Amino acid sequence: MELNWVREFNKLMSLMNEKESYFSGGKFISLIREFDNFHPDYYQYIEYRQSKGLSTSRKDYFYDILMNFSEETRKKIFNRFYEEIKDMKGTPKQKHEEGLLFWNSQKSEQIEETKSSEDLGITYETIDNPKVFISYSWDDEDHKQWVLDLSKRLFENGVEVILDRYELKPGKNMIHFMEQAVPKADKVLTIFTPNFKLKAESRSGGVGFEYSIMNSELYNSIADNKKFIPILRRGSFSESIPNFIQQFIAIDMVEDSQFESKLSELLLAIYDKPQVEKPQIGKSPFN
């Protein structure tokens, strides 16, 4: 029976989107590299797609990667993903149909044919899903939507976002939410605009309260800050960023035409990856 790979992919993707078996782009590509040792790593691949004007949505590039393999290899890859999901959440709700008889039958064959990264002398980094809190001011509807769109793109790239519009509902304690959000986040993104600076420096409203919490943590890690990432969205640095924060390098996301490249820069910061890989030092030519 000929397989409908679009249907099979959609079934697999539905499991990959569930909380307990969520696959970030980095985790997906790490598994793919078990079958293609020379496949670009996550950041290389995203940069390549951006340079070609291709979508960087997880669903789009997961599908493109899988469809580049032969059908037989694709079956083994699907089998490998289902095994991983089974380990993550127990037996999946949906297995492949009878046409895909490789759930158990090809397990031993796959182990023999696919060398592990240890056998090849290669180690692959597993990228966890960092938690990111976004602090911003409700300037207007366009700005609120921009922050929401940024949040969605971060989720697509394996980042769990803590955002007031997701968490706060009638009856919730806003102060308690802010007190908990900053400490439990791995990273804090502060979206700077002139209005944010005004509220922060006057300690006005929720922005002022969040800024006070962030300042307290920043003072304790001023020399080696990795947690707080300033983002300029509107205005100039002097107009939008409080004086104390101006000493930290910010990501300029004012121009919408540069959004994709700046998103890549932001993802590198969130995942603690360098903008440029530092080369390994070689041997002295005089030895």
Side-chain angles (χ1 to χ4, degrees), residues 34-35 76 109-116 119:
E34 293 181 12
F35 296 84
K76 294 174 184 178
E109 178 185 345
Q110 179 186 327
I111 291 172
E112 290 180 5
E113 291 187 3
T114 306
K115 292 184 178 181
S116 68
D119 295 334

Side-chain angles (χ1 to χ4, degrees), residues 75-114:
K75 289 178 181 179
K76 294 174 184 178
I77 294 172
F78 269 58
N79 183 63
R80 178 69 180 89
F81 277 115
Y82 272 97
E83 287 181 336
E84 185 71 14
I85 290 169
K86 184 178 181 180
D87 289 341
M88 293 167 73
K89 59 175 288 184
T91 304
K93 296 175 184 175
Q94 304 173 36
K95 292 185 181 180
H96 272 156
E97 295 175 345
E98 261 183 80
L100 297 179
L101 298 176
F102 45 90
W103 177 270
N104 290 316
S105 63
Q106 293 191 358
K107 183 175 180 181
S108 59
E109 178 185 345
Q110 179 186 327
I111 291 172
E112 290 180 5
E113 291 187 3
T114 306

Side-chain angles (χ1 to χ4, degrees), residues 274-281:
Q275 297 288 330
V276 178
E277 289 287 347
K278 185 176 181 179
Q280 291 186 348
I281 191 166

Side-chain angles (χ1 to χ4, degrees), residues 214-228 243-249:
M214 290 187 290
N215 259 5
S216 177
E217 284 204 36
L218 264 174
Y219 273 117
N220 293 328
S221 60
I222 193 168
D224 58 352
N225 168 53
K226 290 184 179 180
K227 179 170 181 174
F228 297 90
N243 292 335
F244 173 66
I245 306 295
Q246 288 181 23
Q247 63 186 297
F248 299 101
I249 297 172

Side-chain angles (χ1 to χ4, degrees), residues 4-21:
N4 182 337
W5 282 106
V6 174
R7 185 172 184 274
E8 298 302 330
F9 171 77
N10 287 338
K11 287 164 58 180
L12 179 62
M13 194 70 196
S14 70
L15 291 174
M16 288 182 171
N17 282 332
E18 292 183 9
K19 184 176 180 180
E20 63 270 35
S21 55

Side-chain angles (χ1 to χ4, degrees), residues 23-88:
F23 268 70
S24 66
K27 183 176 178 64
F28 179 91
I29 288 179
S30 290
L31 251 164
I32 290 295
R33 289 180 69 168
E34 293 181 12
F35 296 84
D36 178 2
N37 301 325
F38 301 106
H39 191 284
D41 66 26
Y42 171 75
Y43 297 101
Q44 292 170 331
Y45 186 68
I46 293 299
E47 185 176 354
Y48 166 79
R49 290 185 71 90
Q50 289 173 345
S51 71
K52 298 296 183 182
L54 300 173
S55 168
T56 54
S57 163
R58 284 168 60 252
K59 186 172 184 179
D60 290 341
Y61 72 78
F62 282 15
Y63 181 81
D64 289 347
I65 289 172
L66 288 167
M67 294 306 113
N68 278 331
F69 288 95
S70 69
E71 187 168 70
E72 285 306 308
T73 302
R74 198 181 305 147
K75 289 178 181 179
K76 294 174 184 178
I77 294 172
F78 269 58
N79 183 63
R80 178 69 180 89
F81 277 115
Y82 272 97
E83 287 181 336
E84 185 71 14
I85 290 169
K86 184 178 181 180
D87 289 341
M88 293 167 73

